[in-house]
Amino acid sequence: MNFSLSTVINATIASSIFICIAVPLSYIGIANRRIKLYAVSFLCVMAVVRLFMPLEFFFTHSIYIKNLWYGLYSVLNNNYIHFFNIDMTYEHVLFSLWSTGTLCKLAHTLYKYKKSMDSINLLPRTSDPCAVQALEKCNVRFRHFAPVRLFTASHISSPFITGILSPVIVIPDIRLSEKEWEYIFIHELSHYYKGHLLFQFLMEILAALYFWNPLLLILNRHLPRLYEFDADEEVCTSLDGLQKIDYSHCLLKMLRLQAKQPAVHTPGISFASSDLDSRIKRTLDTRQSSGTARLNHMLLIGTVLLFILSYTIILEPTYSPSDDPDTIGASELYCRPNEDGAYDYYSIYNDEYCFTANQILDEQILIKEDSNI
């Protein structure tokens, strides 16, 4: 496995391609029910994995393009900024800005999460026996169920669930029937057991890594609606036509409650967070789209193939002696033959990869057959 500037650039490009594909798919998933959440989420997971693994493997085939990264490499490594008596290359400055932005974004996210959980732990436990019994009844329906804490907050208008490892449900101070609480708790527990909360946290990490990418803002606006559609489908799998109407009435009751009480930002995933009209229409629409499962499975297979392809082919720079601007002297380089019959050139000072050429550029350049020489 090799690590170089080229592998980092290729990993960033490949990860961005996954995000670019996920954005229109999420929009299609909102517009109709043919694209499911798991197809979009798998693309996002592959984007994270690809970004964290900027490597070149034994099966990777290098495609050499003349002067591909040379201009970028020269700008990043041959220009300096003087900062507090420290000379920093543009590459170090860019890496520092990216790292600082990512760390600040992550720190802000973790701070908000901790602050929210501290506030939740101060709330009183729910004393409504209908709600408590409904939660216990719903929780055992899921395989490998986990203990769930239930709190009541008078300042919220919609139930929500949060907690990646230990789920917590917070409900408003309202009176509902046990059946209505069951609808709500099955919906909220689906967010936890189907991994929506964990995936939401993963998307926060991806948004921190790509804080400069506006596509992540669009994607993170679309995904909560897909979470709700997916949880609604889980609720409706065991409901008949009349029960689906009852569930829609429960959604309408939450909508009326939100209209009376101002919206309050809540952590996690809220039961009536957005797009209730579309959710009701999907709940009452019993038509099944043909080929939906096949389409989403094809998207999963295509994502895997694209992920493998991103490692199979890597773009590498190459240039001839006449194109070399002599910014690096022959005495400052050594080279090693690579598997493609070309030569990888490295700095003798820090063993950093510099470029690849199809031939030995100068007789003075030392040739190393392997890393032990």
Side-chain angles (χ1 to χ4, degrees):
M1 294 186 294
N2 296 324
F3 177 83
S4 65
L5 177 63
S6 293
T7 60
V8 172
I9 295 176
N10 278 273
T12 305
I13 293 174
S15 180
S16 300
I17 290 174
F18 284 119
I19 296 173
C20 290
I21 298 174
V23 170
L25 287 181
S26 66
Y27 182 81
I28 296 173
I30 294 171
N32 63 71
R33 62 177 65 192
R34 289 180 60 83
I35 303 298
K36 300 298 182 182
L37 174 64
Y38 65 83
V40 179
S41 61
F42 189 65
L43 271 165
C44 298
V45 171
M46 291 297 99
V48 174
V49 174
R50 188 65 182 91
L51 188 63
F52 275 96
M53 293 181 62
L55 301 173
E56 182 178 352
F57 295 94
F58 68 93
F59 57 83
T60 303
H61 176 69
S62 298
I63 297 180
Y64 295 99
I65 300 178
K66 187 176 181 181
N67 295 339
L68 178 62
W69 310 129
Y70 183 74
L72 176 63
Y73 184 86
S74 298
V75 171
L76 293 179
N77 290 274
N78 297 328
N79 293 279
Y80 294 85
I81 292 179
H82 301 282
F83 186 74
F84 289 105
N85 297 324
I86 299 175
D87 291 337
M88 300 178 64
T89 64
Y90 284 5
E91 180 182 1
H92 294 150
V93 172
L94 186 61
F95 178 77
S96 299
L97 291 175
W98 194 344
S99 301
T100 302
T102 298
L103 291 175
C104 289
K105 179 72 173 176
L106 284 175
H108 179 65
T109 300
L110 293 175
Y111 171 76
K112 287 197 306 181
Y113 178 78
K114 184 181 183 304
K115 186 177 179 180
S116 299
M117 293 306 298
D118 290 342
S119 300
I120 290 173
N121 289 327
L122 297 176
L123 295 173
R125 292 273 187 164
T126 299
S127 58
D128 185 352
C130 287
V132 174
Q133 293 174 9
L135 177 61
E136 294 175 354
K137 183 178 178 180
C138 295
N139 197 27
V140 297
R141 292 180 51 176
F142 293 88
R143 187 178 300 177
H144 308 301
F145 61 91
V148 182
R149 293 179 294 166
L150 185 63
F151 296 95
T152 299
S154 59
H155 65 282
I156 64 173
S157 58
S158 174
F160 68 88
I161 186 170
T162 187
I164 300 173
L165 300 177
S166 179
V168 177
I169 296 179
V170 181
I171 61 175
D173 189 11
I174 57 174
R175 292 292 178 264
L176 299 175
S177 67
E178 185 173 342
K179 193 63 180 177
E180 288 174 324
W181 282 125
E182 287 181 14
Y183 290 146
I184 291 173
F185 290 142
I186 292 175
H187 178 98
E188 295 303 304
L189 290 171
S190 296
H191 288 310
Y192 176 76
Y193 291 112
K194 299 191 78 171
H196 297 170
L197 292 170
L198 181 60
F199 182 65
Q200 186 183 53
F201 178 72
L202 179 68
M203 289 306 299
E204 292 287 351
I205 296 177
L206 188 61
L209 291 169
Y210 278 109
F211 66 91
W212 43 267
N213 191 339
L215 291 178
L216 260 299
L217 298 176
I218 299 174
L219 188 58
N220 280 331
R221 283 201 300 265
H222 288 176
L223 286 175
R225 300 171 71 180
L226 294 180
Y227 298 152
E228 299 303 328
F229 293 150
D230 196 47
D232 286 338
E233 287 185 7
E234 180 67 23
V235 176
C236 293
T237 50
S238 58
L239 302 182
D240 56 28
L242 291 177
Q243 290 173 326
K244 289 181 179 179
I245 295 176
D246 290 338
Y247 180 61
S248 299
H249 288 162
C250 184
L251 291 173
L252 284 172
K253 185 175 290 188
M254 291 296 103
L255 183 61
R256 287 195 294 267
L257 182 62
Q258 280 189 324
K260 296 178 181 178
Q261 191 167 345
V264 178
H265 174 74
T266 57
I269 304 176
S270 175
F271 176 75
S273 57
S274 62
D275 216 9
L276 283 177
D277 54 343
S278 297
R279 291 170 58 188
I280 292 172
K281 290 177 182 177
R282 289 198 179 201
T283 300
L284 298 177
D285 187 2
T286 58
R287 295 174 298 175
Q288 297 294 327
S289 301
S290 59
T292 298
R294 186 185 302 112
L295 173 62
N296 286 272
H297 291 160
M298 289 176 62
L299 287 174
L300 293 181
I301 295 173
T303 301
V304 173
L305 293 177
L306 183 61
F307 181 79
I308 296 174
L309 180 64
S310 70
Y311 281 109
T312 305
I313 298 175
I314 185 171
L315 303 179
E316 294 274 12
T318 183
Y319 53 91
S320 62
S322 59
D323 297 322
D324 186 0
D326 294 328
T327 56
I328 302 177
S331 60
E332 300 176 300
L333 296 172
Y334 69 88
C335 66
R336 288 197 184 102
N338 60 31
E339 297 177 353
D340 300 299
Y343 294 88
D344 295 330
Y345 285 80
Y346 300 84
S347 170
I348 64 173
Y349 302 113
N350 51 18
D351 293 324
E352 284 190 359
Y353 169 81
C354 296
F355 57 88
T356 298
N358 295 323
Q359 56 186 308
I360 298 176
L361 303 181
D362 195 293
E363 294 180 355
Q364 299 179 8
I365 296 178
L366 178 66
I367 302 175
K368 292 186 178 182
E369 297 294 335
D370 55 58
S371 57
N372 296 324
I373 297 179

